[in-house]
């Protein structure tokens, strides 16, 4: 187990090119799940938990870890499985992670190993899986199906963020005539994240086009410019997630910036990787900006600033 923890600590410092490193874990049963190593701060044997009055049952308690009071979420219970029995807690683990500017722990039955994949080896969930499925992607490793959980969906249910743009921002959006403004392309594999961003942008009067991953987005951009036109004739800007199956946000940016017809478009990376994301990586791939998810007012303000400069 110590080897896994050491590896997590080392690999969170790495950023690959269209590559994904997954920490594999189990909840209850034989199914294996994965979480991006970049989102993992630490893996611990389940610490002592203190109960929270009136908290949702999925929150098994809080733990005081390295000066922080961190909520511990029973990940299996959050996706509709039976809760991890109290008698099993001592043998269980907590994955401390950072999503959307907040730190939380996910209680899991066991932690396995880290695997390195190309995003092209990761597929979206099967079509027809339904809205109740908590997956953003699947991958096959050693003939075993690995399910990558949509953590943003879980957190939106367990501890919802405000998704509403403030009246001041709506007023600023209304004061500008954006009727002739070209649409914004939003790229994200999480249905929750797509909805949040689309709702934010439409509140300030913008048209939105959505795609589920970098590969879909790049195909769409190539279709727009197939007649020889420049992408800026069709879109105002692109707001893209980083982690996506088949093609991640870093690779999408690189492909756009190396294509003369696509290079002019303004690209903002909008990511839940707030703990490890840095400006050096943005500059390396050529993105114009980045923001940590999700603050509707901050996103609305940043987008309006970009629009005013275009």
């Amino acid at each position: 187990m110590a080897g896994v923890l050491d590896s997590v600590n080392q690999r969170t410092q790495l950023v690959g090119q269209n590559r994904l490193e997954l920490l594999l874990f189990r909840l209850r049963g034989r199914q294996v799940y994965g979480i991006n190593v970049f989102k993992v701060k630490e893996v611990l044997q389940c610490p002592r938990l203190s109960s929270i009055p009136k908290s949702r049952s999925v929150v098994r308690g809080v733990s005081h870890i390295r000066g922080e009071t961190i909520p511990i979420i029973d990940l299996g219970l959050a996706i509709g499985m039976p809760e991890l029995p109290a008698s099993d807690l001592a043998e269980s683990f907590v994955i401390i992670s950072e999503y959307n500017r907040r730190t939380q722990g996910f209680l899991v039955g066991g932690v396995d190993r880290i695997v390195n994949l190309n995003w092209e080896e990761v597929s979206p969930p099967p079509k027809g899986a339904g809205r109740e499925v908590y997956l953003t992607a699947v991958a096959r490793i050693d003939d075993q199906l690995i399910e990558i959980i949509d953590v943003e969906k879980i957190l939106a249910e367990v501890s919802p963020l405000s998704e509403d743009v403030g009246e001041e921002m709506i007023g600023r959006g209304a004061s500008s005539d954006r009727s002739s403004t070209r649409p914004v392309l939003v790229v994200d594999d999480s249905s929750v994240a797509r909805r949040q961003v689309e709702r934010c942008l439409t509140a300030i009067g913008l048209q939105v086009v959505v795609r589920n991953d970098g590969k879909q987005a790049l195909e769409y951009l190539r279709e727009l410019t197939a007649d020889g036109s420049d992408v800026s004739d069709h879109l105002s800007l692109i707001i893209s997630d980083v982690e996506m199956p088949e093609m991640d946000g870093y690779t999408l940016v690189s492909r756009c910036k190396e294509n003369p017809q696509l290079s002019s478009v303004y690209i903002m990376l909008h990511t839940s990787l707030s703990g490890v994301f840095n400006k050096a990586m943005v500059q390396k791939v050529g993105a114009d900006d980045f923001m940590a998810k999700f603050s509707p007012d901050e996103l609305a303000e940043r987008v309006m600033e970009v629009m005013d400069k275009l």
Side-chain angles (χ1 to χ4, degrees):
M1 190 64 218
V4 171
L5 303 188
D6 291 343
S7 190
V8 167
N9 184 53
Q10 294 169 10
R11 295 182 187 214
T12 51
Q13 310 305 317
L14 303 176
V15 176
Q17 293 188 348
N18 208 37
R19 298 201 68 83
L20 166 68
E21 290 189 308
L22 289 177
L23 174 64
L24 305 184
F25 61 90
R26 299 176 190 270
L27 298 173
R28 300 186 70 181
R30 301 182 63 181
Q31 177 61 50
V32 179
Y33 301 88
I35 184 172
N36 192 332
V37 169
F38 286 151
K39 291 181 176 176
V40 176
K41 298 179 70 175
E42 193 171 4
V43 178
L44 305 170
Q45 200 88 35
C46 184
R48 181 177 176 274
L49 303 181
S50 302
S51 61
I52 310 174
K54 299 182 180 179
S55 66
R56 298 188 58 176
S57 59
V58 70
V59 180
R60 297 295 291 268
V62 297
S63 186
H64 302 285
I65 300 171
R66 310 198 192 288
E68 285 188 87
T69 300
I70 298 175
I72 307 299
I73 297 168
D74 187 324
L75 193 54
L77 188 58
I79 65 173
M81 299 171 63
E83 72 174 14
L84 203 64
S87 58
D88 291 350
L89 291 182
E91 303 299 321
S92 302
F93 293 88
V94 170
I95 300 172
I96 306 298
S97 67
E98 185 169 350
Y99 278 82
N100 300 352
R101 313 184 190 203
R102 296 188 293 184
T103 300
Q104 52 280 308
F106 296 117
L107 180 65
V108 302
V111 175
D112 188 359
R113 60 193 170 109
I114 288 173
V115 294
N116 187 304
L117 301 173
N118 192 299
W119 273 111
E120 293 175 355
E121 302 173 74
V122 181
S123 304
K127 291 184 178 180
R131 303 181 70 177
E132 299 306 313
V133 174
Y134 292 83
L135 302 179
T136 56
V138 295
R140 189 164 292 279
I141 301 172
D142 298 331
D143 294 325
Q144 185 169 27
L145 189 68
I146 308 300
E147 298 184 352
I148 302 173
I149 294 178
D150 188 347
V151 176
E152 288 171 274
K153 178 178 173 66
I154 291 171
L155 294 179
E157 295 177 356
V158 174
S159 180
L161 294 168
S162 171
E163 297 182 7
D164 295 326
V165 178
E167 293 298 326
E168 179 183 350
M169 288 297 162
I170 293 175
R172 284 176 57 183
S175 65
S176 301
D177 180 11
R178 303 194 187 278
S179 58
S180 60
T181 302
R182 297 176 299 282
V184 176
L185 174 61
V186 173
V187 190
D188 204 301
D189 63 323
S190 169
S191 60
V192 170
R194 289 196 302 271
R195 185 198 69 225
Q196 289 172 336
V197 177
E198 184 171 10
R199 182 171 178 175
C200 171
L201 299 182
T202 54
I204 57 174
L206 296 174
Q207 299 179 61
V208 178
V209 178
V210 298
R211 290 296 183 269
N212 295 359
D213 58 56
K215 183 179 179 182
Q216 286 187 14
L218 190 60
E219 289 172 353
Y220 172 68
L221 295 172
R222 287 170 173 166
E223 288 172 5
L224 288 180
T225 57
D227 60 357
S229 59
D230 191 89
V231 68
S232 58
D233 296 331
H234 306 277
L235 297 173
S236 296
L237 71 149
I238 299 172
I239 300 175
S240 177
D241 187 23
V242 168
E243 298 178 279
M244 295 178 290
E246 301 195 276
M247 182 184 291
D248 67 13
Y250 298 130
T251 306
L252 174 62
V253 173
S254 296
R255 296 283 177 83
C256 287
K257 296 304 181 180
E258 68 190 16
N259 184 323
Q261 289 178 275
L262 305 180
S263 61
S264 64
V265 68
Y266 190 101
I267 305 178
M268 176 192 294
L269 290 174
H270 188 231
T271 174
S272 57
L273 295 170
S274 51
V276 298
F277 201 65
N278 57 75
K279 291 185 177 180
M281 189 59 201
V282 174
Q283 293 169 355
K284 180 179 178 181
V285 299
D288 298 282
D289 199 1
F290 84 95
M291 264 191 66
K293 294 177 180 176
F294 174 71
S295 168
D297 278 357
E298 187 177 344
L299 179 60
E301 182 170 26
R302 189 82 64 89
V303 168
M304 286 192 287
E305 288 176 354
V306 172
M307 290 290 194
D308 290 342
K309 295 176 183 178
L310 293 178

Short mmCIF file of all heavy atoms in Angstrom, two decimals, residues 53-103:
data_model
loop_
_atom_site.label_atom_id
_atom_site.label_comp_id
_atom_site.label_asym_id
_atom_site.label_seq_id
_atom_site.Cartn_x
_atom_site.Cartn_y
_atom_site.Cartn_z
N PRO A 53 -24.32 16.64 12.68
CA PRO A 53 -25.77 16.67 12.85
C PRO A 53 -26.48 17.15 11.59
O PRO A 53 -26.02 18.08 10.92
CB PRO A 53 -25.98 17.67 14.01
CG PRO A 53 -24.66 17.69 14.74
CD PRO A 53 -23.62 17.46 13.69
N LYS A 54 -27.56 16.48 11.22
CA LYS A 54 -28.42 16.86 10.11
C LYS A 54 -27.74 16.76 8.74
O LYS A 54 -28.23 17.31 7.76
CB LYS A 54 -28.98 18.28 10.30
CG LYS A 54 -29.83 18.44 11.55
CD LYS A 54 -30.39 19.85 11.66
CE LYS A 54 -31.23 20.01 12.92
NZ LYS A 54 -31.78 21.37 13.06
N SER A 55 -26.61 16.07 8.68
CA SER A 55 -25.95 15.91 7.38
C SER A 55 -26.63 14.80 6.60
O SER A 55 -27.33 13.95 7.15
CB SER A 55 -24.47 15.57 7.56
OG SER A 55 -24.31 14.30 8.17
N ARG A 56 -26.42 14.77 5.30
CA ARG A 56 -26.98 13.72 4.47
C ARG A 56 -26.29 12.41 4.80
O ARG A 56 -25.11 12.37 5.16
CB ARG A 56 -26.80 14.07 3.00
CG ARG A 56 -27.53 15.35 2.58
CD ARG A 56 -27.49 15.56 1.10
NE ARG A 56 -28.07 14.42 0.38
CZ ARG A 56 -28.22 14.38 -0.94
NH1 ARG A 56 -27.85 15.40 -1.67
NH2 ARG A 56 -28.74 13.33 -1.53
N SER A 57 -27.02 11.32 4.63
CA SER A 57 -26.48 10.01 5.01
C SER A 57 -25.23 9.65 4.22
O SER A 57 -24.39 8.88 4.69
CB SER A 57 -27.55 8.93 4.81
OG SER A 57 -27.97 8.89 3.46
N VAL A 58 -25.11 10.19 3.02
CA VAL A 58 -23.95 9.87 2.18
C VAL A 58 -22.67 10.45 2.77
O VAL A 58 -21.58 9.97 2.48
CB VAL A 58 -24.18 10.39 0.74
CG1 VAL A 58 -24.15 11.90 0.70
CG2 VAL A 58 -23.18 9.79 -0.22
N VAL A 59 -22.78 11.47 3.62
CA VAL A 59 -21.62 12.03 4.31
C VAL A 59 -21.47 11.28 5.62
O VAL A 59 -22.25 11.47 6.55
CB VAL A 59 -21.78 13.55 4.55
CG1 VAL A 59 -20.56 14.10 5.27
CG2 VAL A 59 -22.00 14.28 3.23
N ARG A 60 -20.46 10.42 5.70
CA ARG A 60 -20.30 9.56 6.86
C ARG A 60 -19.73 10.30 8.06
O ARG A 60 -19.70 9.77 9.17
CB ARG A 60 -19.40 8.38 6.49
CG ARG A 60 -19.97 7.47 5.42
CD ARG A 60 -21.22 6.75 5.89
NE ARG A 60 -20.94 5.77 6.92
CZ ARG A 60 -20.68 4.49 6.70
NH1 ARG A 60 -20.68 4.02 5.45
NH2 ARG A 60 -20.43 3.66 7.69
N GLY A 61 -19.25 11.51 7.85
CA GLY A 61 -18.70 12.31 8.93
C GLY A 61 -17.62 13.23 8.41
O GLY A 61 -17.45 13.39 7.19
N VAL A 62 -16.90 13.85 9.32
CA VAL A 62 -15.76 14.68 8.96
C VAL A 62 -14.53 14.16 9.68
O VAL A 62 -14.63 13.47 10.70
CB VAL A 62 -15.98 16.17 9.31
CG1 VAL A 62 -17.15 16.75 8.53
CG2 VAL A 62 -16.19 16.36 10.81
N SER A 63 -13.39 14.48 9.13
CA SER A 63 -12.13 14.10 9.75
C SER A 63 -11.18 15.28 9.71
O SER A 63 -11.20 16.06 8.75
CB SER A 63 -11.51 12.90 9.02
OG SER A 63 -10.36 12.44 9.70
N HIS A 64 -10.39 15.42 10.73
CA HIS A 64 -9.42 16.52 10.80
C HIS A 64 -8.08 16.00 10.29
O HIS A 64 -7.43 15.18 10.95
CB HIS A 64 -9.32 17.04 12.23
CG HIS A 64 -10.63 17.52 12.77
ND1 HIS A 64 -11.20 18.71 12.40
CD2 HIS A 64 -11.51 16.92 13.62
CE1 HIS A 64 -12.37 18.85 13.01
NE2 HIS A 64 -12.58 17.78 13.75
N ILE A 65 -7.70 16.46 9.10
CA ILE A 65 -6.52 15.95 8.42
C ILE A 65 -5.62 17.11 8.02
O ILE A 65 -6.02 17.99 7.27
CB ILE A 65 -6.92 15.15 7.17
CG1 ILE A 65 -7.81 13.96 7.55
CG2 ILE A 65 -5.68 14.67 6.41
CD1 ILE A 65 -8.43 13.24 6.37
N ARG A 66 -4.42 17.13 8.57
CA ARG A 66 -3.42 18.15 8.24
C ARG A 66 -3.98 19.56 8.33
O ARG A 66 -3.80 20.38 7.42
CB ARG A 66 -2.81 17.88 6.87
CG ARG A 66 -2.34 16.44 6.70
CD ARG A 66 -1.38 16.24 5.58
NE ARG A 66 -1.19 14.83 5.29
CZ ARG A 66 -0.51 13.98 6.07
NH1 ARG A 66 0.01 14.41 7.20
NH2 ARG A 66 -0.39 12.70 5.74
N GLY A 67 -4.67 19.82 9.42
CA GLY A 67 -5.18 21.17 9.69
C GLY A 67 -6.48 21.51 9.01
O GLY A 67 -7.00 22.61 9.19
N GLU A 68 -7.04 20.59 8.22
CA GLU A 68 -8.31 20.82 7.54
C GLU A 68 -9.40 19.91 8.10
O GLU A 68 -9.14 18.76 8.46
CB GLU A 68 -8.19 20.53 6.03
CG GLU A 68 -7.46 21.57 5.23
CD GLU A 68 -7.58 21.27 3.74
OE1 GLU A 68 -8.58 21.73 3.11
OE2 GLU A 68 -6.70 20.60 3.20
N THR A 69 -10.61 20.42 8.15
CA THR A 69 -11.77 19.60 8.48
C THR A 69 -12.42 19.19 7.17
O THR A 69 -12.95 20.03 6.44
CB THR A 69 -12.77 20.38 9.36
OG1 THR A 69 -12.11 20.77 10.57
CG2 THR A 69 -13.97 19.52 9.71
N ILE A 70 -12.35 17.91 6.87
CA ILE A 70 -12.72 17.41 5.54
C ILE A 70 -13.93 16.50 5.63
O ILE A 70 -13.92 15.53 6.41
CB ILE A 70 -11.53 16.65 4.91
CG1 ILE A 70 -10.34 17.61 4.74
CG2 ILE A 70 -11.93 16.03 3.58
CD1 ILE A 70 -9.08 16.93 4.24
N PRO A 71 -14.98 16.76 4.85
CA PRO A 71 -16.12 15.84 4.82
C PRO A 71 -15.74 14.55 4.12
O PRO A 71 -15.03 14.55 3.12
CB PRO A 71 -17.18 16.62 4.03
CG PRO A 71 -16.39 17.57 3.17
CD PRO A 71 -15.17 17.92 3.95
N ILE A 72 -16.23 13.44 4.65
CA ILE A 72 -15.92 12.12 4.10
C ILE A 72 -17.21 11.54 3.50
O ILE A 72 -18.17 11.30 4.22
CB ILE A 72 -15.35 11.17 5.16
CG1 ILE A 72 -14.15 11.82 5.88
CG2 ILE A 72 -14.97 9.85 4.53
CD1 ILE A 72 -12.98 12.18 4.99
N ILE A 73 -17.20 11.33 2.20
CA ILE A 73 -18.38 10.88 1.45
C ILE A 73 -18.26 9.40 1.16
O ILE A 73 -17.24 8.94 0.64
CB ILE A 73 -18.51 11.68 0.14
CG1 ILE A 73 -18.73 13.17 0.45
CG2 ILE A 73 -19.64 11.14 -0.72
CD1 ILE A 73 -18.59 14.07 -0.77
N ASP A 74 -19.28 8.65 1.51
CA ASP A 74 -19.33 7.23 1.17
C ASP A 74 -19.62 7.14 -0.32
O ASP A 74 -20.75 7.34 -0.76
CB ASP A 74 -20.43 6.55 1.99
CG ASP A 74 -20.44 5.03 1.82
OD1 ASP A 74 -20.16 4.56 0.71
OD2 ASP A 74 -20.76 4.33 2.79
N LEU A 75 -18.60 6.86 -1.10
CA LEU A 75 -18.72 6.93 -2.55
C LEU A 75 -19.70 5.89 -3.09
O LEU A 75 -20.45 6.16 -4.03
CB LEU A 75 -17.35 6.79 -3.20
CG LEU A 75 -17.23 7.15 -4.68
CD1 LEU A 75 -17.74 8.55 -4.95
CD2 LEU A 75 -15.78 7.03 -5.13
N GLY A 76 -19.69 4.70 -2.50
CA GLY A 76 -20.63 3.68 -2.94
C GLY A 76 -22.06 4.09 -2.70
O GLY A 76 -22.93 3.97 -3.58
N LEU A 77 -22.34 4.62 -1.52
CA LEU A 77 -23.69 5.07 -1.19
C LEU A 77 -24.12 6.20 -2.12
O LEU A 77 -25.29 6.29 -2.52
CB LEU A 77 -23.73 5.53 0.27
CG LEU A 77 -25.10 5.85 0.87
CD1 LEU A 77 -26.04 4.66 0.79
CD2 LEU A 77 -24.94 6.31 2.33
N ALA A 78 -23.17 7.05 -2.49
CA ALA A 78 -23.48 8.19 -3.36
C ALA A 78 -23.94 7.76 -4.74
O ALA A 78 -24.67 8.49 -5.42
CB ALA A 78 -22.27 9.12 -3.47
N ILE A 79 -23.52 6.57 -5.20
CA ILE A 79 -23.92 6.12 -6.54
C ILE A 79 -24.98 5.03 -6.47
O ILE A 79 -25.22 4.32 -7.45
CB ILE A 79 -22.70 5.65 -7.36
CG1 ILE A 79 -22.04 4.41 -6.75
CG2 ILE A 79 -21.69 6.78 -7.51
CD1 ILE A 79 -20.94 3.83 -7.63
N GLY A 80 -25.61 4.89 -5.31
CA GLY A 80 -26.76 4.00 -5.21
C GLY A 80 -26.48 2.61 -4.68
O GLY A 80 -27.36 1.75 -4.69
N MET A 81 -25.28 2.37 -4.19
CA MET A 81 -24.95 1.08 -3.60
C MET A 81 -25.22 1.12 -2.09
O MET A 81 -25.39 2.20 -1.52
CB MET A 81 -23.47 0.74 -3.86
CG MET A 81 -23.10 0.64 -5.32
SD MET A 81 -21.31 0.50 -5.59
CE MET A 81 -20.98 -1.05 -4.76
N PRO A 82 -25.27 -0.03 -1.42
CA PRO A 82 -25.40 -0.03 0.04
C PRO A 82 -24.20 0.65 0.69
O PRO A 82 -23.10 0.65 0.13
CB PRO A 82 -25.44 -1.52 0.40
CG PRO A 82 -25.83 -2.22 -0.85
CD PRO A 82 -25.26 -1.41 -1.97
N GLU A 83 -24.41 1.27 1.84
CA GLU A 83 -23.31 1.94 2.50
C GLU A 83 -22.27 0.94 3.00
O GLU A 83 -22.56 -0.24 3.22
CB GLU A 83 -23.81 2.78 3.68
CG GLU A 83 -24.27 1.99 4.87
CD GLU A 83 -24.63 2.89 6.05
OE1 GLU A 83 -24.78 4.11 5.85
OE2 GLU A 83 -24.75 2.37 7.17
N LEU A 84 -21.06 1.42 3.15
CA LEU A 84 -19.99 0.59 3.69
C LEU A 84 -20.28 0.36 5.18
O LEU A 84 -20.46 1.33 5.93
CB LEU A 84 -18.65 1.30 3.51
CG LEU A 84 -17.39 0.46 3.50
CD1 LEU A 84 -17.39 -0.50 2.31
CD2 LEU A 84 -16.16 1.36 3.42
N PRO A 85 -20.35 -0.87 5.63
CA PRO A 85 -20.70 -1.13 7.04
C PRO A 85 -19.71 -0.49 8.00
O PRO A 85 -18.50 -0.42 7.72
CB PRO A 85 -20.64 -2.66 7.14
CG PRO A 85 -20.81 -3.15 5.74
CD PRO A 85 -20.17 -2.12 4.86
N ALA A 86 -20.21 -0.02 9.13
CA ALA A 86 -19.35 0.60 10.13
C ALA A 86 -18.25 -0.35 10.58
O ALA A 86 -17.12 0.07 10.89
CB ALA A 86 -20.18 1.06 11.32
N SER A 87 -18.56 -1.65 10.59
CA SER A 87 -17.57 -2.65 11.02
C SER A 87 -16.40 -2.77 10.05
O SER A 87 -15.35 -3.30 10.40
CB SER A 87 -18.24 -4.02 11.18
OG SER A 87 -18.84 -4.42 9.96
N ASP A 88 -16.59 -2.26 8.82
CA ASP A 88 -15.53 -2.35 7.80
C ASP A 88 -14.68 -1.09 7.70
O ASP A 88 -13.71 -1.05 6.93
CB ASP A 88 -16.14 -2.63 6.42
CG ASP A 88 -16.74 -4.03 6.31
OD1 ASP A 88 -16.50 -4.84 7.23
OD2 ASP A 88 -17.43 -4.29 5.32
N LEU A 89 -15.03 -0.05 8.44
CA LEU A 89 -14.36 1.23 8.28
C LEU A 89 -12.87 1.15 8.58
O LEU A 89 -12.05 1.76 7.89
CB LEU A 89 -15.01 2.30 9.17
CG LEU A 89 -16.42 2.74 8.78
CD1 LEU A 89 -16.91 3.84 9.71
CD2 LEU A 89 -16.46 3.22 7.34
N ALA A 90 -12.50 0.39 9.59
CA ALA A 90 -11.09 0.32 9.99
C ALA A 90 -10.22 -0.25 8.88
O ALA A 90 -9.02 0.05 8.79
CB ALA A 90 -10.95 -0.50 11.26
N GLU A 91 -10.81 -1.08 8.02
CA GLU A 91 -10.06 -1.70 6.92
C GLU A 91 -10.27 -0.97 5.60
O GLU A 91 -9.78 -1.42 4.56
CB GLU A 91 -10.50 -3.17 6.76
CG GLU A 91 -10.33 -4.01 8.02
CD GLU A 91 -8.87 -4.07 8.47
OE1 GLU A 91 -7.99 -4.17 7.58
OE2 GLU A 91 -8.62 -4.00 9.69
N SER A 92 -10.98 0.14 5.63
CA SER A 92 -11.29 0.89 4.41
C SER A 92 -10.30 2.04 4.23
O SER A 92 -9.45 2.29 5.08
CB SER A 92 -12.73 1.43 4.48
OG SER A 92 -13.65 0.37 4.66
N PHE A 93 -10.46 2.74 3.09
CA PHE A 93 -9.55 3.83 2.77
C PHE A 93 -10.33 5.08 2.40
O PHE A 93 -11.50 5.01 2.01
CB PHE A 93 -8.63 3.43 1.61
CG PHE A 93 -7.68 2.33 1.95
CD1 PHE A 93 -8.05 1.00 1.81
CD2 PHE A 93 -6.42 2.62 2.46
CE1 PHE A 93 -7.19 -0.03 2.14
CE2 PHE A 93 -5.54 1.60 2.80
CZ PHE A 93 -5.92 0.27 2.64
N VAL A 94 -9.66 6.20 2.54
CA VAL A 94 -10.23 7.48 2.12
C VAL A 94 -9.30 8.11 1.10
O VAL A 94 -8.08 8.24 1.34
CB VAL A 94 -10.42 8.42 3.33
CG1 VAL A 94 -10.78 9.83 2.85
CG2 VAL A 94 -11.51 7.89 4.25
N ILE A 95 -9.87 8.45 -0.05
CA ILE A 95 -9.13 9.17 -1.09
C ILE A 95 -9.41 10.65 -0.91
O ILE A 95 -10.54 11.11 -1.11
CB ILE A 95 -9.57 8.71 -2.50
CG1 ILE A 95 -9.33 7.21 -2.68
CG2 ILE A 95 -8.83 9.51 -3.57
CD1 ILE A 95 -9.92 6.64 -3.96
N ILE A 96 -8.41 11.40 -0.49
CA ILE A 96 -8.56 12.84 -0.33
C ILE A 96 -8.35 13.50 -1.68
O ILE A 96 -7.32 13.30 -2.33
CB ILE A 96 -7.55 13.41 0.69
CG1 ILE A 96 -7.63 12.66 2.02
CG2 ILE A 96 -7.79 14.90 0.90
CD1 ILE A 96 -8.95 12.76 2.72
N SER A 97 -9.33 14.25 -2.13
CA SER A 97 -9.27 14.82 -3.48
C SER A 97 -9.70 16.27 -3.47
O SER A 97 -10.33 16.74 -2.52
CB SER A 97 -10.16 14.02 -4.43
OG SER A 97 -11.51 14.19 -4.06
N GLU A 98 -9.34 16.94 -4.53
CA GLU A 98 -9.73 18.34 -4.68
C GLU A 98 -10.49 18.50 -5.99
O GLU A 98 -9.97 18.19 -7.06
CB GLU A 98 -8.51 19.26 -4.67
CG GLU A 98 -8.89 20.74 -4.71
CD GLU A 98 -7.71 21.66 -4.42
OE1 GLU A 98 -6.65 21.16 -4.02
OE2 GLU A 98 -7.87 22.88 -4.61
N TYR A 99 -11.72 18.93 -5.88
CA TYR A 99 -12.58 19.19 -7.03
C TYR A 99 -13.21 20.56 -6.85
O TYR A 99 -13.70 20.89 -5.77
CB TYR A 99 -13.72 18.17 -7.12
CG TYR A 99 -13.37 16.85 -7.75
CD1 TYR A 99 -12.75 15.86 -7.01
CD2 TYR A 99 -13.67 16.58 -9.09
CE1 TYR A 99 -12.44 14.63 -7.57
CE2 TYR A 99 -13.36 15.35 -9.66
CZ TYR A 99 -12.75 14.39 -8.89
OH TYR A 99 -12.44 13.19 -9.45
N ASN A 100 -13.21 21.32 -7.92
CA ASN A 100 -13.97 22.57 -7.93
C ASN A 100 -13.68 23.44 -6.72
O ASN A 100 -14.58 23.94 -6.06
CB ASN A 100 -15.47 22.27 -8.03
CG ASN A 100 -15.83 21.51 -9.27
OD1 ASN A 100 -15.00 21.32 -10.16
ND2 ASN A 100 -17.06 21.05 -9.36
N ARG A 101 -12.39 23.56 -6.40
CA ARG A 101 -11.91 24.45 -5.34
C ARG A 101 -12.22 23.96 -3.94
O ARG A 101 -12.02 24.69 -2.98
CB ARG A 101 -12.49 25.87 -5.52
CG ARG A 101 -12.40 26.43 -6.93
CD ARG A 101 -12.88 27.85 -6.99
NE ARG A 101 -13.00 28.30 -8.37
CZ ARG A 101 -12.96 29.57 -8.73
NH1 ARG A 101 -12.80 30.51 -7.82
NH2 ARG A 101 -13.10 29.90 -10.00
N ARG A 102 -12.73 22.73 -3.80
CA ARG A 102 -13.05 22.20 -2.49
C ARG A 102 -12.38 20.85 -2.27
O ARG A 102 -12.18 20.09 -3.22
CB ARG A 102 -14.57 22.06 -2.32
CG ARG A 102 -15.30 23.39 -2.38
CD ARG A 102 -16.76 23.24 -2.03
NE ARG A 102 -17.49 22.47 -3.03
CZ ARG A 102 -18.80 22.25 -2.99
NH1 ARG A 102 -19.52 22.73 -1.99
NH2 ARG A 102 -19.40 21.55 -3.94
N THR A 103 -12.03 20.59 -1.02
CA THR A 103 -11.39 19.33 -0.68
C THR A 103 -12.40 18.44 0.03
O THR A 103 -13.14 18.88 0.91
CB THR A 103 -10.18 19.57 0.24
OG1 THR A 103 -9.23 20.40 -0.44
CG2 THR A 103 -9.51 18.27 0.63
#
